[in-house]
Amino acid sequence: MTVIARELPPPDTLSERQLRGADRCFCGADLTRSEVTDLGQQRVTVHGARVSWFPRSCPGCPRAGGAS
């Protein structure tokens, strides 16, 4: 399932694990396959290069636009 978040955190404030989708992008907690909400591949420009990052959150995260 892919959900577009209301407002994603700035990529430069996230850990490497958050950027690659291993940890939740809002709170930084570990994710398991059963509790993943894919927020969609994001493309940003960093130092003149286009790069991708892969935010994920827990289901129902209010910061991701889900129900609490």
Side-chain angles (χ1 to χ4, degrees), residues 8-11 14 18-20 25 40-44 51-56:
L8 294 171
L14 302 176
Q18 288 171 299
L19 291 170
R20 67 182 170 87
C25 69
Q41 178 182 356
Q42 305 295 308
R43 303 273 299 159
V44 295
V51 297
S52 296
W53 68 291
F54 303 89
R56 294 182 178 171

Side-chain angles (χ1 to χ4, degrees), residues 12-54:
D12 61 350
T13 65
L14 302 176
S15 70
E16 184 271 331
R17 288 183 52 85
Q18 288 171 299
L19 291 170
R20 67 182 170 87
D23 292 342
R24 297 174 188 163
C25 69
F26 294 103
C27 66
D30 288 341
L31 288 169
T32 66
R33 289 182 194 209
S34 63
E35 61 181 29
V36 170
T37 298
D38 185 351
L39 300 176
Q41 178 182 356
Q42 305 295 308
R43 303 273 299 159
V44 295
T45 301
V46 178
H47 301 293
R50 292 289 287 168
V51 297
S52 296
W53 68 291
F54 303 89

